[in-house]
Amino acid sequence: MPGKDVVKIPVEKPFLKVELEPKGDPDKYFTDEKPSFTFLAENITDKKVYAELILRLQLNKRTQEFVFHEEIESGETLTEEITTELLTFQDSGYIGLVSCSDFEEKEDKIEIRKNDAVKPASHPLYTFTVWDREFYKSDYVRPRRAQYISALLSLCIVAVGVMQLLFTA
């Protein structure tokens, strides 16, 4: 199911459970839309977590980042609503969590931050397809309708044949 993948950061010590849930129709987006998502980060430790979290939307060669600097209490969940820019290209894209390579455990809290010396990896949370609305209609909707109509006509032909057999016997 889209958006239900879980990324634990950093990999060697899981501190947060991160999810991304799409709003609206998560199956497809069109080039004239600005999709919205709910970003959830749950603290699964017994300490406070101060986290620098970066979500990266990658579509074609365009990148958009959402940065959160938050302190999350033990057992609490950070909930943020994000809305992307207008999707201008027909393509497939993803939203991923940029890995945070530095963490420091202190007595009362854990700090997670990005290390600029290390090239960060992005862990995909959600992938999607962007369609041009007219192309989608001509390439997907209309052929599907034609298939339904041809199946219905085939059933009608079979029904007429069966009726002819019944009435001529």
Side-chain angles (χ1 to χ4, degrees):
M1 178 178 226
K4 290 298 181 188
D5 292 333
V6 174
V7 175
K8 295 180 178 177
I9 54 171
V11 176
E12 64 273 358
K13 290 214 178 217
F15 299 126
L16 298 174
K17 182 174 105 175
V18 177
E19 296 181 36
L20 188 73
E21 297 175 354
K23 291 183 168 184
D25 184 4
D27 293 337
K28 59 190 167 299
Y29 295 105
F30 295 103
T31 54
D32 58 353
E33 291 183 315
K34 294 181 177 183
S36 295
F37 302 91
T38 302
F39 173 64
L40 304 163
E42 180 184 359
N43 180 352
I44 56 174
T45 69
D46 56 353
K47 296 179 181 180
K48 230 187 281 187
V49 173
Y50 175 79
E52 177 183 357
L53 301 173
I54 303 169
L55 286 180
R56 179 179 292 151
L57 172 115
Q58 185 76 38
L59 180 64
N60 206 330
K61 296 201 184 281
R62 196 180 82 199
T63 301
Q64 181 182 1
E65 289 191 347
F66 305 92
V67 181
F68 306 101
H69 298 276
E70 298 292 336
E71 191 165 278
I72 308 166
E73 297 288 333
S74 176
E76 297 286 317
T77 301
L78 165 71
T79 303
E80 293 285 341
E81 304 298 321
I82 62 170
T83 301
T84 68
E85 295 174 352
L86 190 66
L87 302 173
T88 55
F89 297 103
Q90 179 173 304
D91 203 353
S92 57
Y94 78 94
I95 296 181
L97 181 71
V98 176
S99 65
C100 302
S101 53
D102 272 359
F103 68 92
E104 183 180 345
E105 273 191 78
K106 295 183 178 176
E107 202 171 290
D108 62 337
K109 70 178 179 179
I110 300 165
E111 290 183 10
I112 303 171
R113 60 191 166 279
K114 186 177 141 192
N115 183 349
D116 292 327
V118 177
K119 184 177 179 182
S122 187
H123 304 282
L125 290 172
Y126 180 70
T127 58
F128 56 92
T129 303
V130 180
W131 293 84
D132 176 73
R133 205 172 285 276
E134 291 305 312
F135 181 79
Y136 181 77
K137 285 178 187 174
S138 67
D139 202 49
Y140 182 75
V141 175
R142 288 183 191 130
R144 184 171 243 188
R145 284 184 191 152
Q147 287 175 340
Y148 289 143
I149 291 169
S150 64
L152 183 63
L153 288 174
S154 298
L155 289 174
C156 289
I157 291 169
V158 169
V160 167
V162 168
M163 288 173 40
Q164 283 180 341
L165 286 174
L166 291 175
F167 290 122
T168 58

